[in-house]
């Protein structure tokens, strides 16, 4: 990681001059200012906001950037992270990005200034920019839940493709031939993989795929509600909801239009719906190991932090449990 001395050397000035430029304090000629700013940019120098406290090589702080802490899935992932971190003497800063790339970039910038020892990141898009910014500062990072192409990085996630394929197989075995998929944003890997898996299961069963039955939206209740209203026009006999929030939206719309589950239409989803949201477990689900994802990712990150030697990046894919409940049945004749 570049230091203030590195910037001073490259710019041909004293470290105090670099400090004046970056802190905008004291007089510095415009020509010198431009030279210092150019050197800092070329070296990817991140000002150290903790320098006044004589920071050691470690802050024992980890940063976790996740999508939506109001979703019980992410709450459980975060608990797995915190438990492991606490056992190893680390604290965790939790940041909620709301799936917005600009919030993610802002948090990354702030947290690098805080000199966190490592990042646990749930990327908001397939962009590699935030990951590369972190890696250029030589700060360890582990990506959770999602796959990011064109970048070498440690990842820990559930087998979303395999579990989506199994959900589709279950519906096909019941006799469903018009299976709708309502999922998250098109630029998030989990959304794409779940659609691809269902389509592959349909193809393997030599069944046609109707594009009208595939909708991308947001991993949110409101989006699930809106997508259900649209997809019913294509007359599906079963719906695969991309996550539990989408599934809640699906249920609300179906109740409003007086469609019964599973008598009139079957519903399956990813990530279980908490008991507090329903009187009893009802939905057939693919249950991702949320706590294990958090635990495994944090253990991997701490190994990166504590190991001086470079080792190959790892992709850890954890099994997903399929639980068959009462929300699925043979399609109505």
């Amino acid at each position: 990681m570049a230091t203030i001395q590195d910037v001073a050397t490259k710019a041909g000035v004293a470290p105090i001059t670099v400090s004046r430029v970056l802190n905008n304090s004291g007089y510095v000629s415009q020509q010198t200012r431009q030279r210092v700013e150019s050197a800092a940019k070329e070296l990817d120098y991140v000002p150290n906001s903790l320098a006044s406290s004589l920071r050691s090589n470690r802050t024992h702080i980890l940063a976790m950037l996740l999508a939506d802490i109001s979703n019980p899935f992410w709450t459980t992932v975060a608990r797995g992270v915190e438990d492991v971190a606490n056992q190893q003497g680390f604290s965790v800063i939790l940041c909620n990005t709301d799936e917005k790339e600009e919030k993610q970039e802002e948090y990354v910038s702030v947290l690098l200034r805080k000199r966190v020892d490592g990042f646990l990141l749930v990327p908001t898009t397939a962009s590699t920019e935030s990951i590369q910014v972190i890696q250029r500062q030589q700060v360890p990072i582990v990506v959770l839940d999602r796959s990011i192409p064109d970048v070498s990085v440690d990842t820990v996630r559930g087998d979303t493709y395999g579990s989506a394929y199994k959900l589709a197989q279950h519906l096909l075995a019941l006799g469903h031939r018009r299976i709708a998929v309502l999922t998250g944003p098109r630029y998030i890997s989990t959304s794409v993989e779940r659609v691809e898996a269902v389509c592959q299961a349909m193809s393997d069963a030599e069944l046609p795929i109707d594009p009208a039955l595939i909708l991308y939206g947001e991993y949110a209740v409101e989006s699930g509600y809106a997508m259900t209203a649209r997809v019913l026009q294509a007359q599906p006999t079963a719906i695969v909801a991309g996550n539990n929030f989408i599934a809640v939206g699906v249920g609300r719309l179906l109740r409003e239009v007086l469609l019964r589950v599973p008598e009139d239409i079957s519903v399956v989803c990813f990530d279980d719906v908490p008991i507090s949201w329903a009187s009893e477990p009802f939905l057939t689900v693919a249950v991702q190991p949320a706590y294990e994802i958090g635990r495994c990712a944090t253990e991997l990150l701490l190994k990166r932090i504590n190991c001086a030697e470079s080792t190959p990046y790892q992709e850890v894919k954890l099994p997903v449990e399929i639980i068959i409940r009462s929300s699925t049945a043979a399609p109505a004749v």
Side-chain angles (χ1 to χ4, degrees), residues 16-281:
I16 187 62
T17 303
V18 176
S19 179
R20 287 173 178 169
V21 171
L22 298 180
N23 293 310
N24 200 27
S25 62
Y27 173 78
V28 180
S29 70
Q30 186 61 31
Q31 183 179 12
T32 300
R33 179 178 296 278
Q34 290 176 351
R35 202 160 68 243
V36 170
E37 290 175 344
S38 177
K41 183 176 181 180
E42 289 180 25
L43 293 172
D44 284 322
Y45 176 71
V46 177
N48 187 351
S49 64
L50 302 182
S52 59
S53 63
L54 300 178
R55 171 190 175 273
S56 66
N57 289 332
R58 295 279 178 84
T59 59
H60 286 89
I61 296 175
L62 306 179
M64 182 180 186
L65 280 67
L66 49 72
D68 183 0
I69 194 60
S70 67
N71 189 322
F73 172 77
W74 292 118
T75 304
T76 307
V77 171
R79 183 55 191 261
V81 169
E82 198 277 336
D83 282 354
V84 175
N86 182 260
Q87 291 167 7
Q88 299 297 319
F90 283 76
S91 298
V92 181
I93 296 176
L94 181 63
C95 301
N96 193 81
T97 65
D98 294 318
E99 301 282 15
K100 292 181 170 56
E101 189 171 11
E102 60 272 18
K103 286 189 69 174
Q104 175 179 288
E105 293 173 352
E106 180 180 352
Y107 278 135
V108 167
S109 178
V110 169
L111 292 164
L112 284 172
R113 286 181 169 83
K114 296 297 182 183
R115 300 290 176 174
V116 297
D117 290 334
F119 281 82
L120 295 147
L121 174 67
V122 181
T124 58
T125 70
S127 171
T128 64
E129 180 60 29
S130 290
I131 296 172
Q132 292 176 329
V133 166
I134 295 168
Q135 290 180 329
R136 283 198 294 267
Q137 300 303 319
Q138 298 179 15
V139 177
I141 176 175
V142 176
V143 169
L144 288 78
D145 186 56
R146 297 166 186 179
S147 61
I148 303 296
D150 305 322
V151 66
S152 297
V153 66
D154 291 313
T155 61
V156 178
R157 58 196 181 100
D159 182 10
T160 188
Y161 184 95
S163 50
Y165 188 91
K166 289 178 181 178
L167 284 176
Q169 281 188 316
H170 169 64
L171 293 172
L172 290 169
L174 290 172
H176 293 279
R177 297 298 180 262
R178 294 191 61 75
I179 301 173
V181 187
L182 312 182
T183 191
R186 193 182 297 269
Y187 49 78
I188 292 178
S189 65
T190 52
S191 303
V192 175
E193 288 179 354
R194 288 163 191 176
V195 168
E196 289 178 345
V198 174
C199 289
Q200 186 61 56
M202 297 282 289
S203 178
D204 291 346
E206 299 183 348
L207 294 171
I209 299 167
D210 185 350
L213 293 173
I214 299 172
L215 295 180
Y216 289 91
E218 302 293 333
Y219 284 131
V221 174
E222 296 77 11
S223 184
Y225 181 96
M227 287 190 289
T228 305
R230 289 174 54 196
V231 84
L232 287 181
Q233 300 175 26
Q235 298 182 321
T237 62
I239 293 175
V240 178
N243 80 340
N244 47 9
F245 275 21
I246 291 176
V248 172
V250 170
R252 286 182 183 176
L253 190 285
L254 293 179
R255 285 192 295 273
E256 287 185 10
V257 298
L258 304 180
L259 285 177
R260 300 166 301 166
V261 178
E263 292 85 355
D264 299 317
I265 189 167
S266 290
V267 179
V268 302
C269 79
F270 280 82
D271 308 326
D272 218 343
V273 174
I275 296 296
S276 60
W277 295 8
S279 58
E280 63 181 57

Side-chain angles (χ1 to χ4, degrees), residues 294-315:
R295 181 194 62 78
C296 182
T298 309
E299 289 178 348
L300 180 55
L301 180 63
L302 292 175
K303 286 181 181 178
R304 286 288 182 196
I305 291 171
N306 294 320
C307 182
E309 298 181 3
S310 177
T311 57
Y313 291 111
Q314 297 184 42
E315 180 184 21

